[in-house]
Amino acid sequence: MDSKTAKPQNIELSMPVQYLKGVGPAKAKLFAELEVHTVEDLLEYYPRDWIFAPKTTKIDQIKPGVEVTVQGLVESTDCIEYRRPAMFEVYLSDDTDVVRVIWFGGQYLKNQIEPGQMLIASGKVTVYKHQRQLTNPKFKIIEQPEAGPEEAKEYFSGGVYPARKNLSSGQIKKIIRPVVEQTQSLVDDFFPPDYLKKRNLIPRGSAFQWIHQPKNEDQLRLAKRRLKYDELSLMQLGLAARRYSVRSRGAPPMSRDEKIDTRIRKRFPFLLTEDQSSVIDEITADMSGDVPMNRLLQGDVGSGKTVVALYAALLAVAHKYQVAIMAPTEVLAEQHFISIERYLRKSKVSRTLITGGLTGLKRKALLTEIKQGRIDIVVGTVALLQKDIEFNRLGLVIIDEQHKFGVEQRGRLRKDTQPHVLVMTATPIPRTLAMTAFGDLDVSIIRHSPPGRGTVVTRWVDKKDRTKAYEFIRQRLKAKKQAFFVYPRVIADDNGQVRAATDECKLLSKEIYPEFNVALLHGKMTSEQKKTVMDDFRRGKTDLLVSTVVIEVGVDVPNATIMVIEGADRFGLAQLHQLRGRIGRGQSKSYCLLFCDNQSEVAANRLQVMERTNDGFEIAEYDLRLRGPGEMFSTRQHGLPDLKIANIIDDFELLNMARKDAFQIINADPALRQTQHQNLRRALIKKFGKNIGLVDIG
Ligand code: ADP
Ligand code: MG
């Protein structure tokens, strides 16, 4: 099948690949497994690697040990079959010299290579009996000597595609070739020429052609750059549109004056830190406007976010608005409520905690009060607050996501109300993620925690030092300090490889620390049970709390100065950091002991990062590099398109540019109604579906 002589097929982007030459139903099925359904998908099925036609070397210039490509005339051939393995030998000449070329086990070549042919061969130069020779080179017989080098180049260069059984890279290359040849007419550009020129971007059609069939590294680089830009642009346009649609609805302005400010600050038994104050300035600036605040507040555990959130809440209450504070779990909701109570003692502000345990008439009565606007601050879990609660004048929603990137929840919340929204997260989010997963939010950061926190020393403990560590902990427990023991699992898995909380709790209480009170806490317990266990620990009735990661969610026990994390290699760094934030809350020095029997280099590297630094941002960046964004948060789950070619870490500069451009475009043309934006609009709707806010406006 020669694509040059056959009539070109009429191809359209939306055409199923099945109808392409050389595909058919069986191959189409294989393509479907690669998520390639249409011609457009195929165009976006980028090679995973590229090979470039090597420059040919004159035979008299080739040197032993070097990879070369030579082109020459086959002077003679010989098949030496008595040897084991058999050997096929060719003498190849050009206008400078002759070289011996051999293939071991090459007897099959005797039907292919004949004297008089033009041959191009590529491989390593070796020496045999003082003679240079090429051994087992890759080769190509040039069928049309007049096309010569070009034909050979095509063979030796091009994309290498991620393949499947029964669908090789070479087959994909062949199938895609006629499509690529038509890209110029198939692919519409998103942007006008002057826009592209200003940004040094090549046309989209050329980019597709060159990504699949680059003639050289330069073309490939330019193609990648353009396609990455497009991919990042679409993502950023989606975010910009979402943000625009939120901002296009009005919100109640809640201005701050000195009187209110003083009154609120009086609630706190300490001066707010500089970071807290400046973050509060950013938040109140948003809230005083009639555009809904849409802000992310980042700060390590213990950096004082709750205080900032409460400030915002009290500002809303001062303007007679209601506030909803949502936490990811009941334990955390309760924790918030307790700290709020601490600050609001003797205040007129009415507040309530809604828990799952609250049912029947009591619940009904409470909901009525909320509906009538008689309760100012409602604290609960995301689930509870989403269900059936009606507010009278909801002015501010505070979402504490802890380490979860629950962008979806924010989306759902927006239905009919237009409150200001403040999202808090204790996970330091690397800049790249802030620009993608949270790209529709403004960001405020608390970098420095309030003074008075004790230092946390982190040590990686391996198998042989376990007993020593247990003794070290015993001394601390004797001094009336408390300890957390955190496990990756509640119960052991089948092969019993991982230590689990339930088993270890028995071991710790019966054998290791029989003289102390040991309690167990895990996610499968009812909220009543959890509450009892937590209360006991908080009050110091329990010395040692064995748990799974449930304690990750906001436990504030300053007397707990020891944390053992068992199977530490099974946790992400961000999560380890998060867990570690539970200690060091009081004045005294705290110890985080990472128990890990895994001696691998990766495990060691990661745990050493934990030993080295307490800076959450540093850890997050490291984690992101190590595990990639996909591990840290699921892009799909957050309505962001998967990235096929761009990488938010490596392509940060491009991401920056695309982001700026995208927000400018949406500001100028929010619904992308202008003629020059039609292709962009179509692509955007295709990527995100109809619910990104674009169509709402138009
Ligand atoms: P986060 O919510 O970020 O984990 P919190 O708001 O719960 O942090 O604050 C952590 C601890 O620091 C709390 O015990 C709180 O009382 C205390 N704290 C907060 N702000 C200050 C401050 N400006 N000065 C002193 N202590 C503070
Ligand atoms: Mg907190």
Side-chain angles (χ1 to χ4, degrees):
M1 208 177 8
D2 188 352
S3 61
K4 279 188 184 104
T5 51
K7 223 173 93 196
Q9 196 182 357
N10 201 6
I11 297 171
E12 278 172 37
L13 286 183
S14 59
M15 188 171 102
V17 280
Q18 179 174 341
Y19 304 123
L20 281 175
K21 279 214 180 87
V23 183
K27 284 231 163 54
K29 236 173 151 175
L30 295 172
F31 269 119
E33 281 169 30
L34 302 169
E35 297 199 21
V36 172
H37 307 282
T38 63
V39 166
E40 187 170 19
D41 297 337
L42 188 62
L43 270 182
E44 290 183 12
Y45 194 72
Y46 304 127
R48 63 170 165 77
D49 200 3
W50 293 263
I51 299 169
F52 292 98
K55 276 228 287 271
T56 53
T57 308
K58 289 293 182 187
I59 292 175
D60 67 346
Q61 300 294 317
I62 64 177
K63 295 193 176 64
V66 180
E67 293 273 343
V68 295
T69 299
V70 295
Q71 184 181 337
L73 189 72
V74 178
E75 299 279 355
S76 65
T77 66
D78 192 5
C79 192
I80 305 154
E81 301 203 49
Y82 61 85
R83 280 196 45 143
R84 288 276 157 252
M87 191 173 85
F88 191 76
E89 179 193 70
V90 164
Y91 278 92
L92 202 64
S93 73
D94 66 4
D95 51 359
T96 65
D97 207 347
V98 179
V99 69
R100 182 175 183 244
V101 184
I102 55 156
W103 287 269
F104 291 108
Q107 60 268 47
Y108 65 96
L109 292 172
K110 67 184 170 191
N111 301 323
Q112 294 181 33
I113 302 181
E114 296 165 9
Q117 284 173 335
M118 272 298 248
L119 200 71
I120 189 159
S122 197
K124 201 164 188 166
V125 182
T126 54
V127 178
Y128 178 72
K129 291 193 177 161
H130 307 292
Q131 295 289 317
R132 297 163 310 161
Q133 70 175 27
L134 276 173
T135 309
N136 292 336
K138 203 179 155 192
F139 74 98
K140 166 89 175 159
I141 300 158
I142 297 172
E143 309 276 357
Q144 301 164 291
E146 68 282 0
E150 277 313 306
E151 187 191 323
K153 251 183 204 153
E154 198 169 292
Y155 175 77
F156 279 103
S157 66
V160 179
Y161 293 87
R164 276 274 189 287
K165 200 175 166 214
N166 299 326
L167 188 59
S168 70
S169 168
Q171 285 171 320
I172 296 173
K173 199 165 153 182
K174 223 183 229 155
I175 290 163
I176 205 171
R177 185 175 300 153
V179 179
V180 170
E181 272 158 15
Q182 292 185 44
T183 44
Q184 297 290 5
S185 56
L186 273 175
V187 177
D188 295 321
D189 214 306
F190 291 157
F191 307 106
D194 54 326
Y195 181 101
L196 296 176
K197 203 165 162 222
K198 239 170 93 184
R199 289 160 181 79
N200 267 323
L201 294 166
I202 61 169
R204 193 166 154 81
S206 312
F208 276 116
Q209 196 168 3
W210 292 357
I211 199 79
H212 291 287
Q213 296 171 359
K215 288 210 167 64
N216 51 49
E217 300 270 4
D218 266 352
Q219 285 191 349
L220 178 60
R221 191 177 47 75
L222 289 169
K224 277 187 182 168
R225 187 161 179 277
R226 173 63 208 264
L227 294 172
K228 285 173 175 185
Y229 177 84
D230 285 3
E231 193 170 56
L232 294 168
S233 289
L234 289 180
M235 168 174 73
Q236 292 299 323
L237 281 163
L239 290 165
R242 190 151 80 190
R243 183 186 151 93
Y244 194 95
S245 79
V246 167
R247 291 176 66 88
S248 66
R249 292 172 238 172
M254 306 169 187
S255 58
R256 165 174 75 164
D257 57 29
E258 278 214 32
K259 224 176 82 196
I260 295 178
D261 180 62
T262 316
R263 206 166 71 214
I264 298 178
R265 280 178 200 259
K266 266 199 199 136
R267 285 271 143 218
F268 304 114
F270 37 68
L271 287 176
L272 297 187
T273 64
E274 217 171 285
D275 276 13
Q276 282 171 323
S277 288
S278 66
V279 161
I280 285 171
D281 287 346
E282 289 167 0
I283 290 171
T284 51
D286 285 355
M287 288 173 66
S288 66
D290 57 4
V291 167
M293 169 166 72
N294 204 24
R295 188 170 284 277
L296 176 70
L297 173 59
Q298 279 190 72
D300 242 336
V301 171
S303 60
K305 294 183 299 297
T306 307
V307 168
V308 171
L310 185 57
Y311 185 108
L314 293 176
L315 178 61
V317 173
H319 286 271
K320 305 271 181 305
Y321 283 97
Q322 290 173 293
V323 180
I325 301 181
M326 318 202 294
T329 65
E330 290 228 337
V331 178
L332 189 58
E334 195 183 323
Q335 189 72 39
H336 276 307
F337 191 70
I338 291 169
S339 40
I340 287 171
E341 278 305 293
R342 222 168 43 208
Y343 298 120
L344 294 187
R345 217 167 281 148
K346 291 189 189 150
S347 135
K348 289 190 309 242
V349 175
S350 59
R351 61 269 180 192
T352 190
L353 172 71
I354 301 191
T355 64
L358 184 74
T359 51
L361 286 179
K362 268 194 186 158
R363 180 182 166 88
K364 225 174 149 191
L366 190 63
L367 295 193
T368 309
E369 278 194 76
I370 295 171
K371 192 172 172 182
Q372 291 171 345
R374 281 188 276 143
I375 297 180
D376 300 315
I377 300 179
V378 182
V379 184
T381 69
V382 175
L384 279 174
L385 286 175
Q386 262 168 3
K387 256 190 221 151
D388 53 353
I389 300 183
E390 261 184 79
F391 287 84
N392 185 27
R393 273 161 65 86
L394 183 62
L396 172 67
V397 174
I398 296 169
I399 308 174
D400 187 352
E401 306 192 296
Q402 281 291 321
H403 68 291
K404 300 216 171 58
F405 302 106
V407 180
E408 260 175 51
Q409 292 158 0
R410 270 188 283 135
R412 243 181 281 140
L413 187 85
R414 297 282 189 182
K415 279 212 180 95
D416 356 272
T417 54
Q418 304 107 49
H420 296 287
V421 172
L422 180 67
V423 183
M424 300 195 284
T425 176
T427 305
I429 297 167
R431 272 198 310 164
T432 44
L433 281 190
M435 284 169 60
T436 51
F438 292 95
D440 58 332
L441 301 180
D442 298 308
V443 179
S444 294
I445 301 178
I446 304 183
R447 285 190 187 275
H448 307 285
S449 298
R453 285 171 61 91
T455 51
V456 179
V457 177
T458 301
R459 283 292 167 261
W460 167 23
V461 178
D462 74 12
K463 232 178 192 154
K464 63 180 196 317
D465 292 329
R466 240 169 221 278
T467 324
K468 255 201 293 191
Y470 285 143
E471 283 317 304
F472 175 83
I473 294 164
R474 189 186 314 282
Q475 297 314 314
R476 294 279 166 315
L477 292 175
K478 270 189 186 155
K480 290 273 169 275
K481 294 295 179 197
Q482 290 166 282
F484 294 111
F485 274 63
V486 185
Y487 293 84
R489 306 178 56 99
V490 185
I491 36 177
D493 58 355
D494 293 337
N495 55 27
Q497 295 243 317
V498 191
R499 289 170 189 257
T502 335
D503 306 331
E504 291 286 307
C505 182
K506 280 187 206 128
L507 184 78
L508 288 167
S509 66
K510 294 219 168 76
E511 286 168 36
I512 302 173
Y513 300 117
E515 72 270 45
F516 297 109
N517 289 324
V518 180
L520 177 68
L521 178 74
H522 60 73
K524 294 201 172 128
M525 293 160 65
T526 67
S527 41
E528 279 306 303
Q529 289 172 318
K530 277 191 269 192
K531 188 170 154 24
T532 315
V533 173
M534 279 314 304
D535 284 347
D536 285 353
F537 191 65
R538 219 173 270 137
R539 278 189 258 126
K541 271 176 72 178
T542 330
D543 303 296
L544 201 156
L545 186 65
V546 177
S547 80
T548 55
V549 287
V550 287
I551 59 141
E552 200 176 355
V553 288
V555 177
D556 195 356
V557 184
N559 192 47
T561 59
I562 297 151
M563 175 171 286
V564 169
I565 302 176
E566 186 70 70
D569 54 314
R570 293 178 178 267
F571 296 97
L573 291 188
Q575 201 176 11
L576 288 175
H577 181 65
Q578 187 83 19
L579 284 164
R580 180 169 63 179
R582 298 293 135 211
I583 55 172
R585 306 213 120 199
Q587 304 275 351
S588 37
K589 199 168 175 180
S590 291
Y591 298 89
C592 177
L593 304 178
L594 304 173
F595 281 21
C596 171
D597 299 341
N598 179 349
Q599 303 274 10
S600 78
E601 195 178 326
V602 183
N605 281 340
R606 298 173 72 243
L607 298 185
Q608 276 158 10
V609 173
M610 297 304 296
E611 289 186 322
R612 194 173 65 226
T613 180
N614 270 311
D615 179 337
F617 279 91
E618 198 183 323
I619 289 169
E621 293 281 352
Y622 189 86
D623 216 15
L624 183 65
R625 270 171 203 286
L626 211 68
R627 296 194 297 158
E631 281 279 314
M632 278 184 80
F633 76 120
S634 147
T635 42
R636 279 266 171 79
Q637 198 183 322
H638 296 97
L640 294 175
D642 277 335
L643 296 176
K644 285 182 182 160
I645 186 163
N647 174 314
I648 58 172
I649 300 165
D650 299 340
D651 302 317
F652 185 71
E653 298 310 322
L654 216 48
L655 170 62
N656 236 332
M657 178 164 115
R659 179 169 173 82
K660 240 187 246 147
D661 292 342
F663 277 71
Q664 244 166 39
I665 289 173
I666 291 293
N667 276 339
D669 183 15
L672 298 181
R673 290 280 177 216
Q674 292 169 15
T675 332
Q676 80 266 30
H677 292 148
Q678 285 323 293
N679 292 334
L680 209 48
R681 183 186 159 88
R682 219 170 297 126
L684 208 56
I685 289 174
K686 184 165 175 253
K687 277 249 151 48
F688 287 90
K690 297 250 174 204
N691 54 358
I692 50 161
L694 259 192
V695 279
D696 293 353
I697 309 162

